[in-house]
Amino acid sequence: MGFVGIVQQGNIERWTLCRPERMNALGTSLAGELSECVAELGVRAAAGSAPRALVITAEPVLKGPNRIWVAGGDLKELDEIDSAEGAQRYAAMLTNLLEAFDELPLLVVIAVDGAAIGGGAELALGGDLRIATSASSLSFKQLRVGLATGYGGAKRLVDAIGLSRAQRLVFLGETLDAQTALNFGLFHRVVPDLSGLDALVTALVAEVGRESVAAQKAMFRLAVRAHPGAAQAGELEIFGRLWRNPGHAAFLQGFGEKGRKTGKETKG
């Protein structure tokens, strides 16, 4: 264990994957540690003591001219899985991890800095915002090792970019550079480096309330998982519960005070 470095600064918690000898590859060890981390964060969120945002990244590994962010699955560990049931348990662990990111009532940012390959590309599709450096890339190479997407990546890809583009990426095994991934909608923003990431996230969480983020995430989950009628009904119910939460109430109060002040100035 000890592959995930955790640092909290103000309202932001950062998890950094660091397993250079395996190029940060995903296996049972790293998946287990991440699962423990997200479960513990979920407990804190339920108790109201979680940060406003979670940033997940990895310490890049240089391999010749290549900058590797997360290099797929850890073949050494995966070779020890010798049954279909074991394979399903492993894949379920990472599928549930990405689902847990979706369900956390806080902003989850995936920060990619290098090549996200195979399972690493599936990890990169998690979270609410995906920010990448210009040195980053995505490639779905699962078919080239006799497998297929395994962490819920097929649905995430189709939800994000549609079936035709998902087929193109997976069957042709194309590598998308950062700008192309941005154009596809797989990255939300491309930056020169991650030096300003914390400032960007800090500014973002200062602008949006905790309750609003949690509600919007719940609405997005309904939008992609429920049939239209249920999604609309659920969104209305969430919106009603969100109304006059502390952030919204403060905004309305400020707006009202500004209006009264403006009215007095106009009358005078």
Side-chain angles (χ1 to χ4, degrees):
M1 289 294 192
F3 302 132
V4 182
I6 300 177
V7 176
Q8 185 163 345
Q9 295 180 324
N11 285 322
I12 302 172
E13 184 163 301
R14 180 190 285 263
W15 296 356
T16 303
L17 281 56
C18 187
R19 202 183 183 197
E21 74 282 2
R22 307 300 299 167
M23 291 188 291
N24 301 322
L26 297 169
T28 53
S29 299
L30 186 49
E33 186 171 348
L34 284 168
S35 298
E36 291 177 5
C37 290
V38 79
E40 190 273 337
L41 181 56
V43 170
R44 282 189 280 145
S49 59
R52 296 282 304 279
L54 171 65
V55 175
I56 301 170
T57 189
E59 191 66 38
V61 179
L62 298 180
K63 185 180 181 183
N66 300 315
R67 186 180 183 86
I68 309 298
W69 186 69
V70 175
D74 184 337
L75 299 182
K76 183 176 180 180
E77 287 189 354
L78 301 189
D79 186 48
E80 298 175 359
I81 300 174
D82 59 1
S83 68
E85 292 77 11
Q88 289 174 352
R89 284 194 297 271
Y90 163 70
M93 190 184 304
L94 282 157
T95 300
N96 293 338
L97 174 71
L98 296 179
E99 287 285 313
F101 292 159
D102 293 341
E103 293 172 3
L104 283 172
L106 53 110
L107 189 69
V108 178
V109 180
I110 306 293
V112 182
D113 186 16
I117 304 166
E122 293 194 60
L123 175 65
L125 293 185
D128 308 305
L129 283 177
R130 298 178 291 278
I131 297 176
T133 65
S134 52
S136 300
S137 63
L138 291 174
S139 56
F140 296 85
K141 303 292 188 183
Q142 289 89 332
L143 272 65
R144 273 63 187 172
V145 298
L147 285 174
T149 54
Y151 314 148
K155 178 164 176 53
R156 287 180 182 276
L157 264 179
V158 172
D159 284 344
I161 61 176
L163 177 59
S164 181
R165 279 186 163 181
Q167 290 168 322
R168 168 182 163 183
L169 292 187
V170 174
F171 287 130
L172 297 181
E174 293 183 17
T175 296
L176 299 185
D177 61 29
Q179 186 59 49
T180 306
L182 176 68
N183 294 341
F184 269 42
L186 295 175
F187 291 152
H188 294 114
R189 183 169 296 182
V190 174
V191 296
D193 56 58
L194 296 181
S195 61
L197 178 64
D198 286 349
L200 186 155
V201 177
T202 298
L204 181 58
V205 298
E207 294 175 353
V208 295
R210 185 188 299 269
E211 295 85 358
S212 295
V213 168
Q216 191 63 68
K217 290 185 65 166
M219 290 177 181
F220 282 143
R221 289 197 300 274
L222 284 169
V224 298
R225 298 177 187 179
H227 66 76
Q232 291 170 1
E235 189 164 328
L236 285 172
E237 192 272 333
I238 293 168
F239 186 84
R241 284 193 283 111
L242 182 65
W243 193 257
R244 288 196 177 274
N245 72 79
H248 182 231
F251 175 81
L252 290 177
Q253 182 179 3
F255 179 80
E257 290 175 354
K258 181 180 179 181
R260 287 190 291 274
K261 181 179 179 182
T262 302
K264 289 178 182 179
E265 291 174 350
T266 301
K267 291 176 182 177

